[in-house]
Amino acid sequence: MLRNTLLSLRDLAVTAGPFLLLGLLLLALAYWILQPTPPRRVTLATGVEQGAYAEFGRRYAALLKQHGITVELRATQGAAENAALLQDADSGVDIGFAQGGGTATTGDDLVSLGSVFYEPVWLFYRQDSARRLLGQRTPSPGSAGRINPDPAVARAPAATPGLTSLAQLAGWRLNVGAPGSGVPPLMERLLEANRVEPGSVTLSRQPLTPAVVDLLDGRLDAIVIASAPESQMVQMLLRTPGIALANLVQSEAYARRFPFMSHVVLPRGVADLAADVPPQDIHLIAPTATLVARSSLHPALMQLFVQAAQQVHGQAGWFQRKGEFPNPVNTERPIAPEAQRFYKDGPPWLQRYLPFWLANLFDRMWIALVAIIAVLLPLSRIVPPLYEFRIRSRVFRWYAQLRAVEDASSDRPVDELLRDLEDIEARVGRVHIPLAYADELYALRSHIQLVRRRLQERRQATPAGTGGPLPQPAGP
């Protein structure tokens, strides 16, 4: 039974083999064209080491490593350098962080994976510089000439003036970030909108760490940082005595005039509830940071980066509610189809139940599989007839030799023909076919016996065994 089963499987494999081979060739061709498996290494342009870009880059790398993807982090000065690297085909950078309004990521080969977080403009300044450059706070309207009845209040020192408008920066020593950062071009646009003459502000373009040192030592009056609150420098400066954060009371006006800008509020006490830092709600302006990638980046990697963005930026933060990021708005670049698919339908259905590599393979190849099946299905209909022909041919080919023995009965001696018939019978005895076709084999054996009887009858009719035709069977 086992032998017959194995024989049937062998015959079926040999018969269907060409069709399976054709299917494998078509599948290999589709795999070569579609390239469903992404490369295992990708380069992400981040920013300065202490900045939010670098921190988020490390989180992305950890998440993609779970799927076997190595993310190489390329440290840069910021969004402007990231944009230049993305536009340089020889840079080796595949994806990077971009800042809305601060950089020009032009080029048909660049696409956006969506907005990922607010990137507030933090204008930190020295309080003693504000007292020196802004003077005492002016009385509120209507208070002039009014006598304060409380002597204690009258003797109280005047409140420290605060920086509330970019128009107040005339005469300040201001650091706007190193070349390659997105802050210098952004501040250039904002100062121009406030009609601040370029020569009225002493601008420096130092990297973040030296600029913070100069701010603390008094060699700078203020510095500008465009970063998420996860930045270590932002966290440190918010808690540094003598350093204040500008409260831009015109933030909503900026959001109305610049489409890439949003008005955000830093809530009172959000940095440190116990120390009440900051001591009041502070209004800020915030471009939106986006992920920008080359359009040639593998779609599976785009899908993984958007999924990672949801895990990294999807929670509630200082400026956004849970689920607000990532999103496909305010990107300044066309959304990649793979990212658009994610925002519409979420992660691919198969990735919820299968490992990434297997789910991605099916997700990228299912159209090709359907096409291959559509081609092979009509051809597969000839497999059963071919299988049947292959099995029956093992039996039918002996009928030709049997007929040759029968036709030679008038020309050759009967004994010689009987020996040929015995040889045929012995060789037929070594023929193995599936049980479903055993009736064909037994019919052949019965026909061999029929020819043998007729030869024997002839030998009896002609004892010399040297001639005479075989007797014909009776009947019509």
Side-chain angles (χ1 to χ4, degrees), residues 60 63-64 67 95 111-116 291-293 297-314 325-328 335-348 351 356:
Y60 279 76
L63 290 172
L64 267 69
H67 300 290
I95 185 171
V111 293
S112 172
L113 302 187
S115 300
V116 289
L291 273 176
V292 177
L297 183 65
H298 196 282
L301 291 178
M302 293 187 183
Q303 179 68 224
L304 278 182
F305 267 99
V306 180
Q307 292 181 29
Q310 185 181 50
Q311 297 183 55
V312 174
H313 310 289
F325 290 106
N327 62 63
I335 296 291
E338 195 65 26
Q340 192 67 51
R341 174 187 175 192
F342 174 84
Y343 294 124
K344 180 180 179 182
D345 302 322
Q351 287 191 25
F356 164 73

Short mmCIF file of all heavy atoms in Angstrom, two decimals, residues 60 63-64 67 95 111-116 291-293 297-314 325-328 335-348 351 356:
data_model
loop_
_atom_site.label_atom_id
_atom_site.label_comp_id
_atom_site.label_asym_id
_atom_site.label_seq_id
_atom_site.Cartn_x
_atom_site.Cartn_y
_atom_site.Cartn_z
N TYR A 60 13.35 55.76 17.67
CA TYR A 60 13.01 55.11 16.41
C TYR A 60 13.92 53.90 16.18
O TYR A 60 13.47 52.83 15.75
CB TYR A 60 13.16 56.09 15.24
CG TYR A 60 12.00 57.01 15.03
CD1 TYR A 60 11.78 58.11 15.85
CD2 TYR A 60 11.10 56.80 14.00
CE1 TYR A 60 10.73 58.97 15.66
CE2 TYR A 60 10.03 57.66 13.79
CZ TYR A 60 9.85 58.75 14.63
OH TYR A 60 8.79 59.59 14.44
N LEU A 63 12.88 50.91 18.25
CA LEU A 63 11.64 50.27 17.80
C LEU A 63 11.86 49.46 16.52
O LEU A 63 11.36 48.34 16.39
CB LEU A 63 10.56 51.33 17.58
CG LEU A 63 10.01 51.98 18.84
CD1 LEU A 63 9.09 53.15 18.49
CD2 LEU A 63 9.24 50.96 19.68
N LEU A 64 12.61 50.01 15.57
CA LEU A 64 12.83 49.28 14.32
C LEU A 64 13.78 48.11 14.51
O LEU A 64 13.73 47.14 13.73
CB LEU A 64 13.37 50.22 13.24
CG LEU A 64 12.29 50.84 12.34
CD1 LEU A 64 11.43 51.84 13.11
CD2 LEU A 64 12.89 51.49 11.11
N HIS A 67 12.29 44.70 14.69
CA HIS A 67 11.91 44.05 13.43
C HIS A 67 13.13 43.69 12.59
O HIS A 67 12.99 43.36 11.41
CB HIS A 67 10.98 44.96 12.63
CG HIS A 67 9.72 45.32 13.33
ND1 HIS A 67 8.70 44.42 13.57
CD2 HIS A 67 9.30 46.49 13.88
CE1 HIS A 67 7.72 45.01 14.21
NE2 HIS A 67 8.06 46.27 14.41
N ILE A 95 16.15 59.16 5.21
CA ILE A 95 15.00 59.81 5.86
C ILE A 95 15.55 60.76 6.91
O ILE A 95 16.65 60.55 7.44
CB ILE A 95 14.07 58.74 6.50
CG1 ILE A 95 12.81 59.36 7.07
CG2 ILE A 95 14.81 57.90 7.53
CD1 ILE A 95 11.77 58.34 7.51
N VAL A 111 9.25 62.86 -0.18
CA VAL A 111 7.86 62.73 0.26
C VAL A 111 7.82 62.85 1.78
O VAL A 111 8.83 62.67 2.46
CB VAL A 111 7.25 61.38 -0.18
CG1 VAL A 111 7.12 61.31 -1.69
CG2 VAL A 111 8.08 60.21 0.34
N SER A 112 6.66 63.17 2.28
CA SER A 112 6.48 63.31 3.73
C SER A 112 5.79 62.07 4.28
O SER A 112 4.91 61.49 3.64
CB SER A 112 5.64 64.56 4.04
OG SER A 112 5.32 64.60 5.42
N LEU A 113 6.19 61.69 5.48
CA LEU A 113 5.52 60.61 6.20
C LEU A 113 4.56 61.16 7.24
O LEU A 113 3.95 60.39 7.98
CB LEU A 113 6.55 59.70 6.87
CG LEU A 113 7.58 59.05 5.95
CD1 LEU A 113 8.42 58.05 6.72
CD2 LEU A 113 6.92 58.39 4.76
N GLY A 114 4.42 62.49 7.29
CA GLY A 114 3.46 63.10 8.19
C GLY A 114 4.11 64.00 9.22
O GLY A 114 5.33 63.98 9.44
N SER A 115 3.28 64.82 9.85
CA SER A 115 3.73 65.66 10.96
C SER A 115 3.83 64.80 12.21
O SER A 115 2.95 63.98 12.48
CB SER A 115 2.75 66.80 11.19
OG SER A 115 2.64 67.61 10.04
N VAL A 116 4.89 65.00 12.99
CA VAL A 116 5.12 64.10 14.12
C VAL A 116 5.10 64.80 15.48
O VAL A 116 4.79 64.17 16.49
CB VAL A 116 6.45 63.34 13.94
CG1 VAL A 116 6.31 62.30 12.83
CG2 VAL A 116 7.60 64.28 13.63
N LEU A 291 8.52 64.07 9.21
CA LEU A 291 9.47 63.08 8.71
C LEU A 291 9.46 63.16 7.19
O LEU A 291 8.40 62.98 6.57
CB LEU A 291 9.08 61.67 9.16
CG LEU A 291 9.58 61.20 10.52
CD1 LEU A 291 9.01 59.83 10.84
CD2 LEU A 291 11.10 61.15 10.56
N VAL A 292 10.61 63.43 6.60
CA VAL A 292 10.73 63.53 5.15
C VAL A 292 11.65 62.42 4.68
O VAL A 292 12.71 62.19 5.27
CB VAL A 292 11.28 64.91 4.72
CG1 VAL A 292 11.48 64.96 3.21
CG2 VAL A 292 10.34 66.00 5.18
N ALA A 293 11.23 61.71 3.64
CA ALA A 293 11.99 60.57 3.13
C ALA A 293 12.14 60.67 1.62
O ALA A 293 11.39 61.38 0.95
CB ALA A 293 11.29 59.25 3.50
N LEU A 297 12.66 55.23 -0.91
CA LEU A 297 12.72 54.42 0.30
C LEU A 297 11.70 53.29 0.23
O LEU A 297 10.57 53.50 -0.23
CB LEU A 297 12.46 55.29 1.54
CG LEU A 297 12.57 54.59 2.90
CD1 LEU A 297 14.01 54.15 3.15
CD2 LEU A 297 12.10 55.51 4.02
N HIS A 298 12.09 52.11 0.65
CA HIS A 298 11.21 50.95 0.53
C HIS A 298 9.89 51.20 1.26
O HIS A 298 9.89 51.70 2.40
CB HIS A 298 11.89 49.71 1.11
CG HIS A 298 11.26 48.42 0.71
ND1 HIS A 298 10.10 47.95 1.28
CD2 HIS A 298 11.61 47.51 -0.24
CE1 HIS A 298 9.78 46.80 0.73
NE2 HIS A 298 10.67 46.51 -0.20
N PRO A 299 8.75 50.86 0.63
CA PRO A 299 7.45 51.12 1.29
C PRO A 299 7.32 50.46 2.65
O PRO A 299 6.68 51.01 3.54
CB PRO A 299 6.44 50.54 0.28
CG PRO A 299 7.14 50.58 -1.03
CD PRO A 299 8.59 50.35 -0.74
N ALA A 300 7.91 49.28 2.82
CA ALA A 300 7.81 48.62 4.12
C ALA A 300 8.52 49.42 5.20
O ALA A 300 8.06 49.48 6.35
CB ALA A 300 8.40 47.21 4.04
N LEU A 301 9.63 50.06 4.85
CA LEU A 301 10.33 50.91 5.82
C LEU A 301 9.51 52.16 6.13
O LEU A 301 9.48 52.61 7.28
CB LEU A 301 11.71 51.29 5.30
CG LEU A 301 12.73 50.15 5.21
CD1 LEU A 301 14.04 50.64 4.63
CD2 LEU A 301 12.97 49.54 6.59
N MET A 302 8.86 52.73 5.12
CA MET A 302 7.97 53.86 5.39
C MET A 302 6.88 53.45 6.36
O MET A 302 6.55 54.20 7.31
CB MET A 302 7.35 54.35 4.08
CG MET A 302 8.33 54.99 3.11
SD MET A 302 7.46 55.72 1.69
CE MET A 302 8.83 56.30 0.70
N GLN A 303 6.32 52.27 6.15
CA GLN A 303 5.26 51.79 7.03
C GLN A 303 5.77 51.63 8.46
O GLN A 303 5.11 52.02 9.43
CB GLN A 303 4.73 50.45 6.51
CG GLN A 303 3.64 49.82 7.35
CD GLN A 303 2.35 50.59 7.32
OE1 GLN A 303 1.72 50.79 8.35
NE2 GLN A 303 1.93 51.04 6.13
N LEU A 304 6.97 51.08 8.60
CA LEU A 304 7.54 50.90 9.94
C LEU A 304 7.82 52.22 10.62
O LEU A 304 7.60 52.38 11.82
CB LEU A 304 8.83 50.07 9.84
CG LEU A 304 8.68 48.56 9.74
CD1 LEU A 304 10.05 47.90 9.70
CD2 LEU A 304 7.87 48.00 10.89
N PHE A 305 8.32 53.21 9.87
CA PHE A 305 8.62 54.52 10.48
C PHE A 305 7.34 55.22 10.93
O PHE A 305 7.32 55.85 11.99
CB PHE A 305 9.39 55.39 9.49
CG PHE A 305 10.88 55.29 9.64
CD1 PHE A 305 11.62 54.48 8.80
CD2 PHE A 305 11.54 56.00 10.63
CE1 PHE A 305 13.00 54.38 8.93
CE2 PHE A 305 12.91 55.90 10.78
CZ PHE A 305 13.65 55.09 9.92
N VAL A 306 6.27 55.10 10.15
CA VAL A 306 5.02 55.74 10.56
C VAL A 306 4.47 55.03 11.80
O VAL A 306 3.95 55.67 12.72
CB VAL A 306 4.00 55.73 9.41
CG1 VAL A 306 2.70 56.39 9.85
CG2 VAL A 306 4.55 56.46 8.21
N GLN A 307 4.57 53.70 11.83
CA GLN A 307 4.13 52.98 13.02
C GLN A 307 4.96 53.37 14.24
O GLN A 307 4.44 53.52 15.35
CB GLN A 307 4.21 51.48 12.77
CG GLN A 307 3.23 50.96 11.73
CD GLN A 307 3.34 49.47 11.53
OE1 GLN A 307 3.70 48.74 12.44
NE2 GLN A 307 3.02 49.01 10.34
N ALA A 308 6.28 53.50 14.03
CA ALA A 308 7.14 53.93 15.14
C ALA A 308 6.79 55.35 15.58
O ALA A 308 6.80 55.66 16.78
CB ALA A 308 8.61 53.86 14.71
N ALA A 309 6.46 56.22 14.62
CA ALA A 309 6.06 57.59 14.97
C ALA A 309 4.82 57.59 15.84
O ALA A 309 4.69 58.41 16.77
CB ALA A 309 5.82 58.40 13.70
N GLN A 310 3.90 56.68 15.57
CA GLN A 310 2.70 56.60 16.40
C GLN A 310 3.05 56.22 17.83
O GLN A 310 2.46 56.75 18.79
CB GLN A 310 1.72 55.60 15.81
CG GLN A 310 0.39 55.55 16.52
CD GLN A 310 -0.55 54.52 15.93
OE1 GLN A 310 -0.17 53.37 15.72
NE2 GLN A 310 -1.77 54.94 15.63
N GLN A 311 4.00 55.32 18.00
CA GLN A 311 4.39 54.91 19.35
C GLN A 311 5.20 56.00 20.05
O GLN A 311 5.07 56.19 21.26
CB GLN A 311 5.20 53.62 19.27
CG GLN A 311 4.43 52.43 18.71
CD GLN A 311 5.25 51.16 18.72
OE1 GLN A 311 5.76 50.74 19.76
NE2 GLN A 311 5.39 50.54 17.57
N VAL A 312 6.06 56.68 19.30
CA VAL A 312 6.93 57.69 19.92
C VAL A 312 6.18 58.98 20.22
O VAL A 312 6.35 59.59 21.28
CB VAL A 312 8.14 57.97 19.00
CG1 VAL A 312 8.97 59.13 19.55
CG2 VAL A 312 9.00 56.73 18.86
N HIS A 313 5.33 59.43 19.29
CA HIS A 313 4.70 60.75 19.41
C HIS A 313 3.20 60.69 19.67
O HIS A 313 2.57 61.75 19.76
CB HIS A 313 4.93 61.54 18.11
CG HIS A 313 6.35 61.58 17.65
ND1 HIS A 313 7.33 62.28 18.29
CD2 HIS A 313 6.96 60.96 16.59
CE1 HIS A 313 8.48 62.12 17.66
NE2 HIS A 313 8.29 61.33 16.62
N GLY A 314 2.63 59.51 19.77
CA GLY A 314 1.17 59.41 19.88
C GLY A 314 0.61 59.70 21.26
O GLY A 314 -0.61 59.87 21.40
N PHE A 325 -0.74 63.23 17.16
CA PHE A 325 0.36 62.95 16.23
C PHE A 325 0.59 61.44 16.18
O PHE A 325 0.30 60.72 17.15
CB PHE A 325 1.64 63.66 16.69
CG PHE A 325 1.60 65.15 16.53
CD1 PHE A 325 1.47 65.97 17.65
CD2 PHE A 325 1.72 65.73 15.28
CE1 PHE A 325 1.44 67.34 17.51
CE2 PHE A 325 1.70 67.11 15.13
CZ PHE A 325 1.56 67.92 16.25
N PRO A 326 1.10 60.98 15.03
CA PRO A 326 1.39 61.70 13.78
C PRO A 326 0.11 61.95 12.99
O PRO A 326 -0.91 61.28 13.21
CB PRO A 326 2.32 60.73 13.03
CG PRO A 326 1.88 59.39 13.50
CD PRO A 326 1.49 59.56 14.95
N ASN A 327 0.17 62.89 12.06
CA ASN A 327 -0.98 63.20 11.22
C ASN A 327 -0.49 63.70 9.86
O ASN A 327 0.66 64.10 9.72
CB ASN A 327 -1.89 64.23 11.90
CG ASN A 327 -1.19 65.55 12.13
OD1 ASN A 327 -0.79 66.24 11.18
ND2 ASN A 327 -1.01 65.94 13.40
N PRO A 328 -1.37 63.72 8.85
CA PRO A 328 -0.93 64.09 7.50
C PRO A 328 -1.12 65.55 7.15
O PRO A 328 -1.10 65.90 5.97
CB PRO A 328 -1.84 63.20 6.62
CG PRO A 328 -3.11 63.09 7.40
CD PRO A 328 -2.71 63.11 8.86
N ILE A 335 2.21 63.65 0.79
CA ILE A 335 2.26 62.48 1.67
C ILE A 335 2.55 61.23 0.85
O ILE A 335 1.96 61.00 -0.21
CB ILE A 335 0.92 62.30 2.42
CG1 ILE A 335 0.69 63.50 3.35
CG2 ILE A 335 0.90 61.02 3.23
CD1 ILE A 335 1.63 63.55 4.52
N ALA A 336 3.48 60.42 1.33
CA ALA A 336 3.80 59.15 0.66
C ALA A 336 2.57 58.25 0.67
O ALA A 336 1.82 58.21 1.66
CB ALA A 336 4.96 58.46 1.36
N PRO A 337 2.31 57.51 -0.41
CA PRO A 337 1.14 56.61 -0.45
C PRO A 337 1.10 55.64 0.72
O PRO A 337 0.03 55.35 1.25
CB PRO A 337 1.30 55.89 -1.80
CG PRO A 337 2.11 56.82 -2.64
CD PRO A 337 3.05 57.51 -1.69
N GLU A 338 2.25 55.14 1.13
CA GLU A 338 2.26 54.18 2.23
C GLU A 338 1.85 54.85 3.54
O GLU A 338 1.14 54.25 4.36
CB GLU A 338 3.65 53.57 2.38
CG GLU A 338 3.71 52.33 3.24
CD GLU A 338 2.93 51.18 2.67
OE1 GLU A 338 2.76 51.10 1.43
OE2 GLU A 338 2.47 50.33 3.47
N ALA A 339 2.28 56.10 3.74
CA ALA A 339 1.87 56.83 4.94
C ALA A 339 0.38 57.17 4.87
O ALA A 339 -0.33 57.06 5.88
CB ALA A 339 2.69 58.10 5.08
N GLN A 340 -0.10 57.56 3.70
CA GLN A 340 -1.52 57.85 3.54
C GLN A 340 -2.36 56.62 3.85
O GLN A 340 -3.43 56.71 4.47
CB GLN A 340 -1.79 58.34 2.12
CG GLN A 340 -3.18 58.94 1.91
CD GLN A 340 -3.35 60.23 2.68
OE1 GLN A 340 -2.54 61.14 2.59
NE2 GLN A 340 -4.41 60.32 3.47
N ARG A 341 -1.87 55.48 3.44
CA ARG A 341 -2.57 54.21 3.73
C ARG A 341 -2.65 53.98 5.23
O ARG A 341 -3.68 53.54 5.75
CB ARG A 341 -1.82 53.08 3.05
CG ARG A 341 -2.33 51.68 3.36
CD ARG A 341 -1.39 50.65 2.76
NE ARG A 341 -1.77 49.30 3.13
CZ ARG A 341 -1.01 48.25 2.93
NH1 ARG A 341 0.16 48.39 2.33
NH2 ARG A 341 -1.41 47.05 3.30
N PHE A 342 -1.57 54.29 5.94
CA PHE A 342 -1.57 54.10 7.40
C PHE A 342 -2.58 55.04 8.06
O PHE A 342 -3.33 54.61 8.95
CB PHE A 342 -0.17 54.37 7.96
CG PHE A 342 -0.10 54.35 9.46
CD1 PHE A 342 0.05 53.16 10.14
CD2 PHE A 342 -0.20 55.52 10.19
CE1 PHE A 342 0.10 53.13 11.52
CE2 PHE A 342 -0.15 55.51 11.57
CZ PHE A 342 0.00 54.31 12.24
N TYR A 343 -2.60 56.31 7.65
CA TYR A 343 -3.52 57.26 8.27
C TYR A 343 -4.98 56.93 7.97
O TYR A 343 -5.87 57.27 8.75
CB TYR A 343 -3.20 58.69 7.81
CG TYR A 343 -1.85 59.17 8.28
CD1 TYR A 343 -0.89 59.61 7.37
CD2 TYR A 343 -1.53 59.17 9.63
CE1 TYR A 343 0.35 60.04 7.80
CE2 TYR A 343 -0.29 59.60 10.06
CZ TYR A 343 0.65 60.04 9.15
OH TYR A 343 1.88 60.46 9.58
N LYS A 344 -5.21 56.24 6.87
CA LYS A 344 -6.57 55.88 6.50
C LYS A 344 -7.03 54.59 7.16
O LYS A 344 -8.15 54.51 7.69
CB LYS A 344 -6.68 55.77 4.98
CG LYS A 344 -8.07 55.41 4.49
CD LYS A 344 -8.11 55.30 2.97
CE LYS A 344 -9.51 54.91 2.49
NZ LYS A 344 -9.55 54.75 1.01
N ASP A 345 -6.18 53.57 7.14
CA ASP A 345 -6.60 52.23 7.57
C ASP A 345 -5.84 51.71 8.78
O ASP A 345 -6.17 50.63 9.29
CB ASP A 345 -6.42 51.23 6.42
CG ASP A 345 -7.21 51.63 5.18
OD1 ASP A 345 -8.33 52.15 5.34
OD2 ASP A 345 -6.69 51.44 4.06
N GLY A 346 -4.80 52.41 9.24
CA GLY A 346 -3.99 51.89 10.33
C GLY A 346 -2.96 50.90 9.82
O GLY A 346 -2.75 50.76 8.61
N PRO A 347 -2.31 50.16 10.73
CA PRO A 347 -1.30 49.19 10.31
C PRO A 347 -1.94 48.11 9.43
O PRO A 347 -3.13 47.83 9.54
CB PRO A 347 -0.80 48.60 11.63
CG PRO A 347 -1.19 49.59 12.67
CD PRO A 347 -2.45 50.24 12.19
N PRO A 348 -1.16 47.51 8.52
CA PRO A 348 -1.69 46.41 7.70
C PRO A 348 -2.31 45.33 8.56
O PRO A 348 -1.79 44.98 9.63
CB PRO A 348 -0.45 45.90 6.94
CG PRO A 348 0.46 47.09 6.88
CD PRO A 348 0.23 47.83 8.17
N GLN A 351 -0.17 42.36 9.82
CA GLN A 351 0.84 42.62 10.83
C GLN A 351 0.28 42.52 12.25
O GLN A 351 1.03 42.48 13.21
CB GLN A 351 1.46 44.00 10.61
CG GLN A 351 2.39 44.06 9.41
CD GLN A 351 3.20 45.33 9.36
OE1 GLN A 351 3.44 45.97 10.38
NE2 GLN A 351 3.62 45.72 8.17
N PHE A 356 6.45 40.69 11.32
CA PHE A 356 6.54 41.73 10.31
C PHE A 356 7.00 41.20 8.96
O PHE A 356 6.41 41.52 7.93
CB PHE A 356 7.49 42.83 10.79
CG PHE A 356 7.95 43.75 9.69
CD1 PHE A 356 7.10 44.68 9.14
CD2 PHE A 356 9.25 43.65 9.19
CE1 PHE A 356 7.51 45.52 8.11
CE2 PHE A 356 9.67 44.49 8.16
CZ PHE A 356 8.79 45.42 7.63
#
